Amino acid sequence: GDSVTQMEGPVTLSEEAFLTINCTYTATGYPSLFWYVQYPGEGLQLLLKATKADDKGSNKGFEATYRKETTSFHLEKGSVQVSDSAVYFCALRFDTGRRALTFGSGTRLQVQP
Amino acid sequence: DAGITQSPRHKVTETGTPVTLRCHQTENHRYMYWYRQDPGHGLRLIHYSYGVKDTDKGEVSDGYSVSRSKTEDFLLTLESATSSQTSVYFCAIGTSGQETQYFGPGTRLLVL
């Protein structure tokens, strides 16, 4: 079946450091790809998405590019802030059928001042 | 923020008791989902609905049932709660176009 694999956390960075969170997927076909973020005690919020190969999603300084060749959708940010501390989830979804999200296990990011 | 609420937000119950969680939306979205979140597993789909009275199972549906008698409400029932159902439950909604799914704030359930 379809699956998403994320790098293990937690990831601990100093403020203004560069962030990369790796995400790879296995799927039959070409899904849409997403990054969701969960702040402490809250639900999930969509951070960014890409719907086809070579698309780049971006939001709030975060970016991710849909790489069909490597089945990857790595999340990057050039300079993290303390307020970016959260859990980040990579997910895929097909645009037909049940349209449900398949999530990775999540990566906790902690940014220190 | 999308108009989606969950109730209760927190619940403690005992093994063997029935539990019903409610998801309510004011967006008139067609699709509704129940996920559970557990450490090391991310979120996993329990059940989903694609319209009033139209529901189907997800990957972890054993021990759960759902009902949707109105567009705005999607109920998740644990017929006889077990400790393995201790989790955080999230409801999500989406349109047919599914530009994105919007998540509720979650329900934290503890089964003793």
Side-chain angles (χ1 to χ4, degrees), chain B residues 8-25:
Chain B
R9 294 293 313 280
H10 302 271
K11 186 169 183 66
V12 180
T13 191
E14 293 187 348
T15 298
T17 60
V19 176
T20 296
L21 308 183
R22 180 184 184 230
C23 177
H24 179 78
Q25 62 149 328

Side-chain angles (χ1 to χ4, degrees), chain B residues 7-8 11 17-22 34 67 74-78 107:
Chain B
S7 59
K11 186 169 183 66
T17 60
V19 176
T20 296
L21 308 183
R22 180 184 184 230
W34 279 107
S67 65
F74 192 33
L75 303 181
L76 177 71
T77 297
L78 291 66
T107 294

Side-chain angles (χ1 to χ4, degrees), chain A residues 35-112:
Chain A
W35 278 100
Y36 279 83
V37 58
Q38 184 180 33
Y39 298 102
E42 298 184 9
L44 277 72
Q45 304 173 25
L46 178 66
L47 181 60
L48 53 84
K49 66 179 181 181
T51 57
K52 61 183 187 296
D54 300 324
D55 269 2
K56 177 185 285 188
S58 62
N59 186 26
K60 299 181 181 179
F62 291 89
E63 294 183 340
T65 300
Y66 190 138
R67 301 288 188 198
K68 185 176 67 173
E69 314 79 35
T70 54
T71 61
S72 64
F73 194 54
H74 304 321
L75 182 68
E76 297 181 336
K77 187 175 186 184
S79 176
V80 294
Q81 306 300 313
V82 172
S83 58
D84 293 327
S85 298
V87 180
Y88 293 81
F89 293 94
C90 186
L92 66 81
R93 192 201 74 218
F94 287 96
D95 295 331
T96 57
R98 65 186 193 182
R99 298 171 168 84
L101 290 158
T102 298
F103 286 90
S105 57
T107 302
R108 180 176 299 278
L109 170 66
Q110 185 165 354
V111 181
Q112 298 176 335

